[in-house]
Structure formats: C-alpha cells, structure tokens
Amino acid sequence: MYAYNEFDQKFVRQRVSQFREQIEKRLNGSLSEEEFRTLRLMNGLYLQLHAYMLRIAIPYGSLNSDQMRKFAYIADRWDKGYGHFTTRQNIQFNWPKLENVADILDALADVNMHAIQTSGNCVRNVTADHFSGASIDEIEDPRPSAELLRQWSTDHPQFQYLPRKFKIAITGSPNDRAVVKAHDIGLRILRNQQGEVGYQVIIGGGLGRSPFVGHTIREFLPKADLLPYIEAILQVYNLGGRRDNKYKARIKILVHETGIEEITRRVEENFKLQKSEFQKPSDKLIAAIEKRFLAPDFEQSTYENFEAERSESPQFDIFVKRNIADHRRENYAIVTVSLKNIGQTPGDATSEQMRVLADIAQRFSHDELRISHEQNIILPHVQKRHLPEVYKLLQAADLASANIGLISDIIACPGMDYCALATARSIPVAKDISRRFDELKLEHEIGDIKLKISGCINACGHHHLGHIGILGLEKGGIENYQITLGGAADLTMAIGKRAGRGFSAEELLPAIERLIGAYLDLRTSREEVFLSSLKRLGHSPFIEALYPKKESQNVA
Amino acid sequence: MARAFVTKIVTANDLLVGDAVYLTSSNLWSRDFHEAKICLNEDEATRLLDSTNFHQHHIVGAYLADVAARDGRPVELLHFREKFRTKGPSNYFHGKQEFNNQQGVA
Amino acid sequence: MSLEFTQDQNSIIVRDGKFCPPHEQKPGKTIELKSGENFTPADFSDTDIAVIVINVLAFNDGRAFSQAKKIRTSGFKGILRLKGPVIADQYPLAIRCGFDELEISASEAKRQPQFQWSDALKRTRDNYLTRLTEMEVNGDQSELSPA
Ligand code: SF4
C-alpha cells in the first residue's frame, strides 16, 4: 500500500481546513450556492434527492484494514451504518449533514484518505485494475503510475475548471479489467519490441448520452514521458473542449468533432513544449513511488487442507469456482467477495461487514483490500491454506455469495432512490432480477453473464457495456426501461445495441425472463455463454423473445 | 390553445440537512409538503419561486412541483420523482418515511 | 473603502493578497484577450507588450488558467492579469498558472473581503505539481528527487 509522507499529510489536512472555511463562507454569504456547489463537488459533496452524499476516493481501488475500519466508523458515527461502493472504486455515504462533512474529511485524513476531486469538472479519482499487484497476467503493477497521476492531478492549477469531468483508468495486464477504452484517457501498460515498459494511450472513450470506444493516440509512450504527455492532452482539452453544452463537453466529443488526426497533431505539438516544463522524468518519479508501496512478504506454504475442503464441501467448491482467481504466487489466491447478495442493493456493505472484511484482510490478505468497478470487494493475497477459514468468516458475515460473474452479480447505479439526476430507479430492478433467477434456481445454469443497470443516460451503471444493459428512463410520467444487448467491457469493448421499445417496471422482469429463456433454448451447450450465443446467432432471435409475435400483431 | 395550468408548490433542499423542504404561506420552509402554499396560476408560481432568492442562506435549488390540491391544500405530488422525495429511498426505511411513521402520519 | 485608485470605476486590483491601486502606466502596450482566445507570439522578447489581460465571464470558465500558463511558457515576462468574477479560492491557482494579479468588481470585493484573498494566497506554496516538475524544492529532501 502507498503510505503518505509528510507532504501528503499536510496537503490533505490543509484541504480539509480550506473546505471548512468554504462551508463557512457559504453560510455567511461570501460564496453563492453556484460557487459553493463547484467547490463542494471538488471535495466529493453532492446534494441528492433526500440528503447530501459524500463520495470518498479509494485511489486505484486499494485500501488497507485501517482505512476500511474508518469507513465503518464514519458509517456509524455520521451516516446510517452502511456505505455504497461505486463503479469508479469510490465509496459513497448517502446521509451526511453539511455541518459534519469537514469532520468526516478529518477522520479520513487520519488514515491517508480524502474525497478530493471525486466530483466536479476536474480529473477524477484514477481507477486501476482491481487485481493489481496480484494477478498472474500482469506486466507491471499499474498503481505507482496511478499514484503519480493522482498527485499530478490533485489541485492541478490549470485543470480544476475543465469543460467537464475527466476520468483516467489504467491497467497493467493484457486482460483489461479497468475498462480503459471507456475513459477520457485509458492507459495500458505494455512492452515494446525492445522490452521497455511503457503505455498505450487511448483517449475519447466514454459512455453516457453518446457512447464512444476510445481511440489510440499513442501506441507506445515511454514511461519517462507520462506526465508531460497527459498534461498535453489535458491542456488541449481545457482550451478546446466545448463549454456551451454540458452534453457535448467531454473530450470524446472534442475528438469526435475535431477528428483524432487533428487532436493527435495538437497533442504531439503541445507535448514538445511540456517536455521542458517537466524536469523530472516520470519513470524516476514512479520508481520513487514504488518504494512507498510496501509489497507484501509472501510466504511459502502448502495447502492440502484446501483441496480436502473442496472435495468435502460442495458449497465451498462452488465458491472457489466462482469467486477465486489465480494469483501470481501458486500457493495464494485472489478472493472476490460479492456485495450482491440475492435481493440486496448492489455495492452496499454494512459497517459490521466492513469491520469483518478489515479483520480478514489484516489476518489473511497481507492487510490489503481492493474495490472492483463491478462493486465487489477483493482480498488480493490470501494463502490457499487459509481459504476454508476465510470462507467460514465470510459466511458468518453474510458475505459468501458464490455468484461472481453470474446474473445476480449486477452492476447498478443508485438511480432514483438517491440520485438527483436519475430518470428512474435501478436498485429495485436489480433486486427483482436477482431474486427471480434465484427462485428459479437458474443462476448457475445460465452461467457467465454481465447485466448492468443505469438510472439515467449518464450511464454510471455502465449499461452500454452489459451483455444485457438496462437503462431507466421516464415515459409518460412512469418509469420505463430500455434494454440493450451485446455490450462488452473487456479489451474487445463493445457498446450494446438497443433492442426496441422500452418496458414498464412490471413488464421488465418477464421480458428479461423471456430473453434468458431464449438463450437457454438456443445455446449449443453449457459452454456457450450468453454473449457467445448472441454473437453466433445475431440479435434477432433474442429480440423476438423480448417482443413476442402476438404482441407485435396487437401493436400493428 | 395554452395548456391548462397545473397547481404548483415550491420545493427545494435544506442547506444544512439536504432533505426536501416546501415553501409555506407564512414564507417558511416545511419538511411536510401538505403544509406548502399552492399556486393557482402561472404568475403566482413565478412570483413565489422568485421570492426564494431571499432564502439562499436556508435552501438550495428551489423549483416548482406539480400537485393535486383539495380545499386549498396540496394532497398529492404528481411526479413519481417528487413522490419519492416525500418518502425516501425504496431499498431502506430511511429518510422522511422514518419520521412520518414516528408521527403516525401516512 | 475608497475606490478611486481602481482601474475601472467599479473594479479592484488584487495583488500580493491585497486590494491595490493599479500599476503606474508602464511603457508598452496592454493587450486584452478573451477567454480561450489563442495568443502565443513566437517570441515575446520582440514585442513591446507590457500587460496582458485575460477576461473571463464566469468563474468556472477554466480556459484562462491554461492560456496564462501557455503565455508564460512562451516567455512572456510582463504583467499578466485575470479579469472577471474570480473567487478567492481560485487565487492560488491563478498565481500558479503565471498570473500576477486579478481585477474584480467592487461588489465581488465587498462580498469577499481582503483577508479572504490574503488567506488564499498562503495556499500557493504547498502543491504537488511543483514537486513533480521542478528539480529542487526548497532544499526539501523529497524522495521524489531523481536518484
Ligand atoms: S446513471 Fe444517472 S441515475 Fe445513475 S448514478 Fe449516474 S447520474 Fe445518477
């Protein structure tokens, strides 16, 4: 884990006292609501439907047990005993009061955390592969690069008032688990032919109203040039991005309207100027940061008990199959803890669960935890010999759902249960779907599938990237849900296609059932997952299932 | 033909707590929309909304919401978003519904 | 407070954290730029520009920050002024991007009294970017210095 130095500490404390003053200024009239709004958003504070909401950064999704315990403390002391983990590796508290926010931020600073730039038109929390530092396929741990970007972007004097928000994601593996092509800037660590490590730089990806797959602007950027190159992109965007229309203000629209060739030219030209501004080469900075990432002291161990438990307990065996991924150390495993219990709100954890997870991480995962963009929690370094015990502890805390990658492992944004921008609810939809397929006992039969739900076109729930995507809208004064098919979030990133007219809340669940029914009928075998059937057969048989003939005759 | 005017009330979020509040005829903010002042025409609605410029130290983001009214009092907010704001989220029993229940109000 | 020393009848100059009179008229031109206007002469040493003023219409129009930085990167040594409805919290950012001073309206100055600007100015020094770009940071034994 990255440990703050004196400067980081001082900076974060200063920022808290600055925000305390800003709240004061809003209350005494020195700042208008419009001005205060901009400033509070830069400090992660939203005003939602029922209350304020505080979004706290979990930089590149990594945290330790003390930090997790602090979330539990905040949840109990100033909120309602739970927190919501988001698709951008943040945690949100839904019920803080304005007068307590600065105290919450001070409590966070005690454990090297903050809420800086988790909202607002600035560079947001940099996200990274949630298996960083543990996965078997990694070229290099992306977190030191992500930490460098965090430092660079924090309070960057030019880029606090961008045309719109700016999201950066980075992955260190060929298997993209950070959805880098759906970000304003996506970075992929790779090796060139000389064997040097650098980045593929992708820009202009994004979801929302106009979804785009990002364009590669640089096939190979040497590590030493990271900051000047990113600075060049941001400066071109800050000066050129549209400010006349909120929906056209993201860099993806600038790239789309100007053309990637012209943007590349501007960035490369600007990059030459920036190189003289950045006197410290980025690779040296990253190397210095690496020293502050305390790598775990991996142990040697055998794990006969693990194999024995697998053959004895079918339940444990299913958990292992669904929730465990290969670790770079053969005697270790990566455990994904599902926050998607049947019928519960995706991504929510109670303060009690947070404490249990913190304890498990401290005892069994070298004190490390990760948050995935799929709203689950990762224990990245668990010895296989400890897995049976970890499983029991998870079970006792209601955290042992063996459903990773299944239909109940739904990504869902808060939707109109909380979000002021929402056009419909998404949480009840997620709960209904997971309950229904659990009742039908079909979950494991259906197998791997990604279902993602957003409560409005902003697409925080990544619905475009779901094999099945659900978008909540309003139609004629009631909630209405549009289904998209065929999205994908990995390196083959694809944007789902709209299936047809939307469904009312009551029609939606039966429609999803018909869709899944069609897949089960049409697949060649259990090995052919939903997305493969969709690719093999095209969308039409699935659309027919969604809109059966009888109904279309009625309409005609 | 001009669309028929729908009766309106003024709503906002409380600056300190953040929850939904409603402007009453005594120019105060209530957490209960039943106490809100209703506007029967466009002019009245615009005037009442404009008057909230002087309330900026108490509230955030005032706007008009459609209501059904009976005997000069609002009985129901018409849009589902506004209905949710009078209760709270559907996944937990939090927000206004907690307190409504304590007071025995439906 | 007396407004007679301000530039426009109704505006106030903020310099070094204080409400100040304008500079003595220096020899050389004053150039007024709109927010976002591209202006980067190849070589500033050749020009007789003494003052560049960048006008913003809204506090959240952040283009001026990059404009200023670009103008400084291109070698401009004269006075750089940000004019418009700036808020005190933006003052450190403006200084760090290369502005020397701000010009705000009297009503802005009334709403945000002088101490807010002098307090804000104190936050200029401690920032990440300087540590990441410059070789020496006030003798700080930062481990970020290249080995
Ligand atoms: S997708 Fe829309 S409703 Fe959902 S969290 Fe984002 S803005 Fe809110």
Side-chain angles (χ1 to χ4, degrees):
Chain A
M1 291 297 303
Y2 178 75
Y4 273 18
N5 64 11
E6 250 172 67
F7 177 80
D8 295 309
Q9 239 331 308
K10 189 169 149 201
F11 181 86
V12 170
R13 291 285 178 198
Q14 246 187 33
R15 181 78 176 219
V16 176
S17 64
Q18 186 185 0
F19 189 51
R20 222 179 259 283
E21 282 167 29
Q22 287 164 348
I23 295 174
E24 243 353 270
K25 288 187 197 171
R26 169 68 176 92
L27 297 175
N28 71 25
S30 288
L31 285 172
S32 70
E33 176 56 27
E34 193 202 351
E35 291 158 347
F36 178 64
R37 179 175 176 273
T38 305
L39 298 172
R40 72 165 152 76
L41 289 175
M42 282 179 195
N43 290 287
L45 189 64
Y46 280 76
L47 186 48
Q48 296 286 39
L49 276 187
H50 312 294
Y52 283 97
M53 177 271 276
L54 183 66
R55 179 184 292 160
I56 296 159
I58 300 168
Y60 26 92
S62 282
L63 73 166
N64 63 28
S65 60
D66 280 346
Q67 293 171 326
M68 186 62 114
R69 280 190 200 101
K70 193 61 94 173
F71 290 158
Y73 173 79
I74 291 169
D76 287 339
R77 167 126 193 232
W78 290 292
D79 214 82
K80 291 191 189 281
Y82 74 100
H84 175 74
F85 292 96
T86 77
T87 53
R88 292 212 76 253
Q89 300 180 318
N90 299 303
I91 183 170
Q92 296 181 172
F93 289 106
N94 287 323
W95 304 94
K97 297 207 171 74
L98 186 58
E99 57 184 5
N100 295 330
V101 173
D103 292 341
I104 299 176
L105 296 177
D106 256 328
L108 287 171
D110 293 344
V111 291
N112 295 355
M113 297 207 109
H114 61 73
I116 299 167
Q117 290 175 214
T118 54
S119 178
N121 294 336
C122 45
V123 180
R124 301 288 187 85
N125 182 28
V126 177
T127 53
D129 180 352
H130 46 263
F131 287 174
S132 301
S135 71
I136 198 164
D137 57 355
E138 189 168 88
I139 295 165
E140 188 179 286
D141 189 339
R143 291 174 302 159
S145 299
E147 170 59 22
L148 180 64
L149 290 167
R150 181 192 76 84
Q151 296 183 8
W152 161 83
S153 65
T154 300
D155 202 32
H156 192 298
Q158 287 179 60
F159 308 137
Q160 298 302 300
Y161 298 86
L162 295 168
R164 196 80 176 82
K165 61 187 163 188
F166 203 93
K167 298 177 181 176
I168 304 178
I170 178 165
T171 180
S173 298
N175 286 318
D176 178 19
R177 285 174 290 258
V179 213
V180 294
K181 285 185 176 171
H183 284 76
D184 296 283
I185 294 179
L187 297 168
R188 266 182 80 206
I189 293 180
L190 40 70
R191 263 180 226 286
N192 66 5
Q193 279 165 352
Q194 288 75 50
E196 296 151 346
V197 173
Y199 312 93
Q200 180 188 3
V201 185
I202 296 158
I203 69 165
L207 302 175
R209 180 166 299 216
S210 346
F212 285 103
V213 179
H215 300 266
T216 299
I217 185 167
R218 249 306 180 107
E219 288 293 349
F220 185 84
L221 180 74
K223 237 174 152 180
D225 291 335
L226 180 63
L227 288 187
Y229 199 81
I230 301 294
E231 175 111 353
I233 295 174
L234 263 294
Q235 200 178 74
V236 165
Y237 169 58
N238 190 31
L239 289 168
R242 285 180 62 171
R243 288 173 187 265
D244 58 334
N245 180 340
K246 173 178 162 186
Y247 295 108
K248 302 203 161 155
R250 295 286 288 273
I251 195 174
K252 63 188 175 185
I253 303 293
L254 180 69
V255 171
H256 180 68
E257 288 181 350
T258 316
I260 185 70
E261 293 77 21
E262 169 61 13
I263 293 296
T264 308
R265 191 193 63 72
R266 284 189 211 169
V267 168
E268 292 290 339
E269 189 185 291
N270 193 302
F271 170 55
K272 288 191 204 110
L273 290 177
Q274 301 301 343
K275 276 186 97 156
S276 58
E277 293 282 303
F278 286 81
Q279 296 169 15
K280 294 180 183 175
S282 298
D283 53 341
K284 295 271 173 22
L285 294 167
I286 292 168
I289 289 172
E290 272 164 3
K291 288 190 205 135
R292 281 155 70 193
F293 267 89
L294 311 174
D297 265 332
F298 290 121
E299 291 169 31
Q300 302 286 348
S301 57
T302 54
Y303 45 88
E304 297 82 9
N305 65 324
F306 163 72
E307 302 295 1
E309 183 72 15
R310 276 191 84 168
S311 41
E312 258 166 53
S313 157
Q315 219 185 357
F316 178 66
D317 188 54
I318 291 176
F319 179 80
V320 171
K321 282 193 186 123
R322 292 301 335 174
N323 296 39
I324 303 292
D326 287 342
H327 193 278
R328 63 176 55 159
R329 292 288 182 122
E330 180 273 334
N331 60 324
Y332 275 76
I334 306 172
V335 181
T336 301
V337 178
S338 168
L339 293 182
K340 316 288 177 64
N341 282 352
I342 301 301
Q344 288 184 10
T345 306
D348 279 11
T350 65
S351 55
E352 197 40 50
Q353 290 176 323
M354 293 179 202
R355 286 195 192 91
V356 169
L357 286 164
D359 291 345
I360 296 176
Q362 191 168 26
R363 285 178 62 199
F364 299 111
S365 183
H366 293 272
D367 207 31
E368 286 194 32
L369 295 141
R370 306 284 166 73
I371 309 304
S372 75
H373 78 268
E374 293 178 320
Q375 301 177 287
N376 293 312
I377 291 182
I378 316 290
L379 297 162
H381 310 297
V382 182
Q383 291 185 53
K384 285 183 181 158
R385 70 188 170 109
H386 292 143
L387 282 174
E389 189 171 354
V390 167
Y391 180 66
K392 287 203 183 78
L393 293 168
L394 290 173
Q395 264 184 323
D398 207 12
L399 286 167
S401 286
N403 61 348
I404 298 305
L406 297 179
I407 195 162
S408 58
D409 186 11
I410 295 170
I411 293 190
C413 78
M416 206 184 274
D417 284 302
Y418 297 92
C419 178
L421 301 171
T423 39
R425 286 174 298 176
S426 39
I427 292 170
V429 174
K431 290 166 81 165
D432 286 352
I433 292 173
S434 76
R435 262 198 218 109
R436 183 64 186 144
F437 286 98
D438 182 58
E439 273 164 26
L440 297 171
K441 295 283 162 251
L442 275 178
E443 230 194 344
H444 288 272
E445 183 63 36
I446 298 163
D448 285 325
I449 189 164
K450 303 263 182 214
L451 197 146
K452 310 192 187 214
I453 311 172
S454 304
C456 82
I457 192 69
N458 283 342
C460 303
H462 300 179
H463 66 275
H464 297 108
L465 304 182
H467 303 165
I468 301 176
I470 298 177
L471 165 62
L473 295 169
E474 175 190 345
K475 205 175 157 204
I478 56 167
E479 291 163 295
N480 186 274
Y481 295 90
Q482 248 173 36
I483 294 180
T484 52
L485 294 174
D490 53 12
L491 254 201
T492 65
M493 178 180 155
I495 290 164
K497 287 209 180 64
R498 228 186 100 183
R501 65 156 185 86
F503 296 91
S504 70
E506 297 75 49
E507 293 169 332
L508 181 63
L509 189 55
I512 299 287
E513 264 189 77
R514 290 197 298 277
L515 182 63
I516 296 296
Y519 155 65
L520 293 175
D521 286 348
L522 293 166
R523 70 181 177 187
T524 50
S525 72
R526 283 188 74 153
E527 270 60 61
E528 186 179 89
V529 297
F530 179 83
L531 190 64
S532 310
S533 294
L534 196 67
K535 281 187 178 153
R536 179 172 59 84
L537 296 163
H539 289 198
S540 32
F542 297 94
I543 292 175
E544 275 164 34
L546 283 172
Y547 306 98
K549 274 280 155 39
K550 203 167 79 203
E551 186 187 79
S552 54
Q553 276 161 7
N554 284 349
V555 171
Chain B
M1 213 182 80
R3 286 237 319 272
F5 180 81
V6 180
T7 313
K8 295 190 179 4
I9 60 175
V10 173
T11 180
N13 286 67
D14 181 80
L15 174 61
L16 290 175
V17 177
D19 61 340
V21 288
Y22 305 89
L23 187 57
T24 68
S25 44
S26 42
N27 220 16
L28 297 171
W29 294 87
S30 167
R31 299 205 137 77
D32 181 357
F33 80 95
H34 294 98
E35 295 174 2
K37 177 181 168 61
I38 58 168
C39 307
L40 297 170
N41 60 55
E42 201 74 55
D43 277 357
E44 226 180 292
T46 315
R47 234 178 305 125
L48 195 64
L49 184 59
D50 286 348
S51 76
T52 63
N53 287 334
F54 299 102
H55 297 225
Q56 295 305 312
H57 42 297
H58 291 305
I59 54 112
V60 180
Y63 61 92
L64 296 165
D66 294 350
V67 289
R70 202 181 310 128
D71 305 330
R73 287 174 57 95
V75 289
E76 192 185 14
L77 281 146
L78 297 182
H79 196 281
F80 60 88
R81 179 183 194 270
E82 293 308 318
K83 288 190 216 251
F84 295 154
R85 283 179 80 235
T86 68
K87 289 191 199 126
S90 64
N91 61 335
Y92 301 114
F93 197 66
H94 291 154
K96 285 195 169 13
Q97 55 201 346
E98 288 178 80
F99 306 104
N100 291 347
N101 230 37
Q102 279 166 19
Q103 294 158 13
V105 179
Chain C
M1 87 174 285
S2 156
L3 301 180
E4 70 222 4
F5 50 73
T6 58
Q7 286 221 308
D8 278 354
Q9 267 299 308
N10 279 319
S11 66
I12 306 253
I13 297 283
V14 186
R15 192 188 312 125
D16 301 329
K18 298 192 196 73
F19 292 167
C20 295
H23 292 276
E24 305 266 297
Q25 194 57 46
K26 291 220 177 94
K29 279 192 293 194
T30 294
I31 301 267
E32 296 254 350
L33 296 179
K34 283 197 267 253
S35 179
E37 193 175 336
N38 193 9
F39 179 75
T40 40
D43 186 1
F44 273 105
S45 57
D46 242 14
T47 67
D48 60 347
I49 302 169
V51 182
I52 297 177
V53 183
I54 302 178
N55 289 278
V56 295
L57 296 175
F59 81 102
N60 57 4
D61 178 353
R63 287 175 292 185
F65 297 113
S66 283
Q67 276 171 287
K69 181 70 191 172
K70 259 183 119 172
I71 287 169
R72 287 292 186 218
T73 311
S74 320
F76 179 64
K77 297 276 189 306
I79 291 167
L80 201 48
R81 181 188 306 149
L82 177 59
K83 181 178 176 182
V86 185
I87 56 178
D89 286 287
Q90 294 177 311
Y91 190 24
L93 306 178
I95 298 289
R96 288 169 56 202
C97 289
F99 284 108
D100 299 291
E101 57 190 33
L102 312 173
E103 184 176 344
I104 59 173
S105 72
S107 62
E108 299 286 345
K110 185 160 177 245
R111 188 166 63 104
Q112 306 175 77
Q114 180 170 289
F115 78 88
Q116 290 191 4
W117 303 86
S118 52
D119 281 357
L121 193 60
K122 291 182 201 139
R123 284 193 290 268
T124 309
R125 276 173 309 238
D126 298 318
N127 66 77
Y128 279 108
L129 194 61
T130 316
R131 296 165 61 88
L132 298 178
T133 48
E134 291 172 17
M135 281 306 208
E136 295 299 329
V137 188
N138 321 324
D140 167 24
Q141 297 301 312
S142 160
E143 67 270 52
L144 292 180
S145 306

